[in-house]
Amino acid sequence: MNARTEDFIAEDLRYDWSADEIAALFSQPFNDLLFQAQTIHRQHFDPNQVQVSSLLSIKTGKCPEDCAYCPQSVRHDAELEVDPLMPLDEVLAAATKAKEMGSTRFCMGAAWRSPKDKDLIPVIKMVEGVKALGMETCLTLGMLTGSQTQKLKDAGLDYYNHNLDTSPDFYGEIISTRTYQDRLDTLEHVRDAGIHVCCGGIVGMGETRDDRVGLLQQLANQPQHPESVPINMLVRVEGTPLANEQELDHLEFVRTLAVARIMMPRSYVRLSAGREAMSDELQALCFFAGANSIFYGEKLLTTPNPDTGHDMALFENLGIKVMQ
Ligand code: SAM
Ligand code: DTB
Ligand code: SF4
């Protein structure tokens, strides 16, 4: 076990949160919740530093899964430029640009249900190439077997992103082509291989607060807290079944980040998808609630993200420094 892994199973961390305890955190007066989250945040992190990662879709669209939120599912008709696996030189050019912009981690995503062993051969070259640029590497490729995670670990992969997306109770409303247990199994393989886990979910899909409680309970009660916890606000994409979903109350989104911070005090909580639709004031509140990581760069996988000039101006205004 390496030192960082030990950090995430330390004795002062809890893995036995009950739903009632989490619901009680959520329902505190807003100021009490934010004060508690910010106090815990300051015990573990510099409150004025944010980690920035950049995303690249290395294989876009035609995914056989039916995730109701996702524009890349073959079952929905979102307008999308479908692209096969990107050549290595284009991936490295994008990573170089992300590094020049100030990103320290490069996350490569593919619209696969689960990669075949032969798919991993070019992906491993990408991991090696990005690492050689001096950046941290992250992949999100769908479900993996134990031997595949081992190969990725051997290639030097730093993080694997695999989200639980929502609570076990609400999950069936969103995805039917793979089970919650499938996701937990992949997460176990990733952990067992010694790759850092990036695991979170999406809010604003029509779930109840109890479902947000259930998602955070699943995330925090794993054998080890995920090192990185992306909390995505649904990006409502035309052509997907959730295109017309009602927008989640913004303060409920901030509460979700604050509760995540309290429950997983040493994890990076990422203010993930959805920033394009957020005001500067809302994002400032998210950072105050304990979010300390973002996706940086003008595109997420297929949808827009705030422009980099705007993000830098916001950081400057808030006195936030990019974590090196
Ligand atoms: N296909 C792989 C998988 O699902 O694990 C990797 C790529 S998938 C696009 C990565 C994650 O993006 C999903 O787990 C989901 O949490 C997030 N995501 C996809 N579409 C989204 C949307 N419209 N709004 C917010 N998050 C989204
Ligand atoms: C995560 O939790 N959010 C990112 C990343 N992990 C791969 C993806 C967000 C995707 C938003 C929709 C899109 O751009 O296609
Ligand atoms: Fe496919 Fe991933 Fe999109 Fe689901 S979230 S449809 S698995 S690309």
Side-chain angles (χ1 to χ4, degrees):
M1 197 184 294
N2 60 39
R4 263 184 67 78
T5 302
E6 273 168 18
D7 276 356
F8 288 86
I9 49 173
E11 277 171 16
D12 62 325
L13 300 181
R14 287 190 50 194
Y15 309 89
D16 60 352
W17 291 92
S18 73
D20 285 347
E21 283 176 298
I22 305 166
L25 288 176
F26 260 97
S27 60
Q28 292 178 84
F30 189 76
N31 285 343
D32 291 347
L33 173 60
L34 259 67
F35 181 72
Q36 193 185 349
Q38 177 67 201
T39 304
I40 288 178
H41 188 47
R42 282 167 184 263
Q43 287 163 5
H44 298 280
F45 291 101
D46 178 334
N48 301 311
Q49 280 201 356
V50 168
Q51 190 278 332
V52 304
S53 297
S54 289
L55 266 175
L56 177 70
S57 180
I58 56 170
K59 185 265 171 192
T60 310
K62 288 210 173 147
C63 181
E65 302 262 27
D66 67 354
C67 313
Y69 49 77
C70 186
Q72 302 200 65
S73 167
V74 76
R75 301 163 196 240
H76 315 325
D77 21 81
E79 223 170 89
L80 189 75
E81 200 184 300
V82 170
D83 276 315
L85 193 65
M86 198 179 261
L88 178 64
D89 58 339
E90 284 178 32
V91 173
L92 296 184
T96 305
K97 199 171 147 223
K99 188 181 179 195
E100 283 165 4
M101 269 167 21
S103 267
T104 54
R105 189 176 309 155
F106 196 63
C107 307
M108 296 163 272
W112 282 320
R113 169 178 163 77
S114 48
K116 299 185 189 72
D117 284 347
K118 72 171 171 32
D119 294 326
L120 289 188
I121 298 167
V123 171
I124 282 173
K125 293 216 166 63
M126 294 174 191
V127 170
E128 290 166 348
V130 172
K131 266 196 98 72
L133 296 173
M135 297 181 87
E136 289 181 314
T137 50
C138 177
L139 288 174
T140 179
L141 313 173
M143 291 182 283
L144 296 179
T145 64
S147 74
Q148 289 179 325
T149 49
Q150 198 48 58
K151 278 186 202 154
L152 293 173
K153 175 68 183 172
D154 294 343
L157 180 68
D158 297 301
Y159 286 81
Y160 194 77
N161 167 244
H162 199 66
N163 290 337
L164 289 174
D165 279 350
T166 190
S167 69
D169 287 346
F170 191 64
Y171 184 84
E173 305 284 318
I174 300 295
I175 299 142
S176 76
T177 47
R178 76 172 109 150
T179 65
Y180 214 81
Q181 189 59 47
D182 287 333
R183 291 181 187 250
L184 294 169
D185 291 347
T186 292
L187 291 167
E188 189 177 349
H189 296 318
V190 174
R191 261 193 319 271
D192 287 352
I195 299 169
H196 297 315
V197 174
C198 173
C199 180
I202 311 177
V203 297
M205 299 195 291
E207 77 285 346
T208 61
R209 178 180 279 181
D210 282 348
D211 293 312
R212 291 185 282 280
V213 165
L215 168 66
L216 294 180
Q217 185 181 29
Q218 288 289 327
L219 291 171
N221 289 355
Q222 290 177 73
Q224 200 177 304
H225 291 171
E227 281 89 343
S228 163
V229 181
I231 304 293
N232 296 276
M233 173 82 106
L234 174 70
V235 180
R236 293 168 293 174
V237 183
E238 214 48 61
T240 63
L242 298 184
N244 299 318
E245 194 54 58
Q246 203 190 329
E247 191 180 19
L248 181 71
D249 171 53
H250 288 168
L251 297 183
E252 180 69 10
F253 181 71
V254 178
R255 282 182 186 270
T256 308
L257 290 170
V259 175
R261 165 52 65 225
I262 293 165
M263 294 172 66
M264 294 170 279
R266 297 189 188 198
S267 302
Y268 284 83
V269 175
R270 182 171 300 140
L271 166 56
S272 196
R275 289 197 305 116
E276 173 75 350
M278 293 179 197
S279 68
D280 286 356
E281 293 82 353
L282 173 56
Q283 293 186 61
L285 214 43
C286 293
F287 296 128
F288 191 71
N292 62 346
S293 172
I294 59 164
F295 284 121
Y296 182 57
E298 284 152 28
K299 204 167 174 197
L300 291 165
L301 289 172
T302 66
T303 63
N305 201 34
D307 77 55
T308 52
H310 188 99
D311 277 345
M312 280 304 120
L314 176 60
F315 278 10
E316 174 77 26
N317 192 350
L318 299 176
I320 287 176
K321 299 267 181 293
V322 172
M323 207 172 282
Q324 291 310 314

